[in-house]
Amino acid sequence: MILIKYTLIFFLITNLNLVNAQDKNLQNKITKNLRCLVCQGQSVFDSDSEFANSLKIIVKQKLDDGKNEKEIYDFMKKKYGEWILYDTEFNKNTYFLWLLPILMFLIGGAIILKLFIIKKN
Amino acid sequence: MKIKTLPIFTFIVFLIIFFVFYKGLQNSNIYVPKTEIEKDIPLFNARIFGTDNQINSEDIFINGKFYLVNIWASWCVPCRAEHSFLLDLNNQKNLEIIGLNYKDKKENADKFLNELKNPYTFIILDKDGTIAIEWGAYGVPESFLIYDKKIIKKITGPIDKDSFLKIKERIR
């Protein structure tokens, strides 16, 4: 009987920790993707400014309310503009930014291929 | 002929790089959220300074009247600079100034108001800075001009002569 009791307590504690840890991980992930507007260049996660500390509280509150990651980002975007997110979204302003590496890769490949073929001929 | 093209090409490339940096490095890359967008006022519950009463943002703002929400703190030095403008704006008949006391201690805030006078109709408390975030603010001081439950103007940083005159013009 005692054994069952202790194993139950053991499982309860370890599982609670797990739930908490997952929440904390998501919270860290989100705050790492948010730019601190006071000390620009630092993420909210890294920063200890008044603004960043308040943002951390907000993110935690929203997670506790059951909001998901995207809803939190949408909230931040509404309040501060898209610039607050480090991970740039794919929209008409950022087509060029996202497609430039692929474009350069293709052009570079074309040049190499052309040189190669010309040399062979 | 081939020997000559390489130095010229290198020179041109360096020239382009030089001008890109010369132009680009002069731009300030400090981001400020856009200020001239009309937005709805945020929804929140807050405690009124000096009392235990809670107030909802819906009950603060009445249509057809101008409000200036001013985020301030006793520890904020630029807040002292803008205070004379707030006192002046307080004389305007159709404008109510509402303070938002940001991460402050009550005794310090009281001292600040006793020393510089109180321009606020009432003050709401923001102990952990979360209400300021609802407003889209990221520092102190910041001010928001409100009409018909919409933010019609936002001032980041202290109110200066220029923004003071703009506010006066807007509420006329």
Side-chain angles (χ1 to χ4, degrees), chain A residues 46-105:
Chain A
D46 291 321
S47 173
D48 197 32
S49 68
E50 298 286 351
F51 171 73
N53 287 335
S54 302
L55 262 192
K56 282 175 207 161
I57 297 172
I58 289 259
V59 170
K60 193 176 176 302
Q61 274 176 4
K62 299 250 172 225
L63 283 175
D64 289 345
D65 286 350
K67 296 264 162 62
N68 64 27
E69 208 180 328
K70 196 179 168 291
E71 282 170 324
I72 294 173
Y73 289 151
D74 285 343
F75 171 83
M76 295 298 169
K77 252 167 46 188
K78 208 175 118 207
K79 298 290 176 198
Y80 294 102
E82 211 210 311
W83 206 75
I84 196 161
L85 303 181
Y86 270 116
D87 202 0
T88 316
E89 282 187 339
F90 192 76
N91 59 32
K92 68 176 193 302
N93 291 326
T94 56
Y95 278 151
F96 188 65
L97 183 74
W98 281 104
L99 295 178
L100 189 67
I102 301 167
L103 216 70
M104 278 170 86
F105 178 76

Side-chain angles (χ1 to χ4, degrees), chain A residues 103-115:
Chain A
L103 216 70
M104 278 170 86
F105 178 76
L106 288 178
I107 292 171
I111 290 170
I112 289 169
L113 212 71
K114 209 180 157 196
L115 282 176

Side-chain angles (χ1 to χ4, degrees), chain B residues 72-77 79-81 83-84 87 106-120:
Chain B
W72 67 283
S74 63
W75 47 262
C76 139
V77 179
C79 295
R80 286 175 178 269
H83 210 80
S84 59
L87 288 169
K106 177 151 195 320
E107 62 220 59
N108 293 344
D110 277 335
K111 220 191 259 170
F112 181 92
L113 291 176
N114 281 336
E115 190 190 327
L116 297 167
K117 282 189 195 164
N118 187 350
Y120 305 111

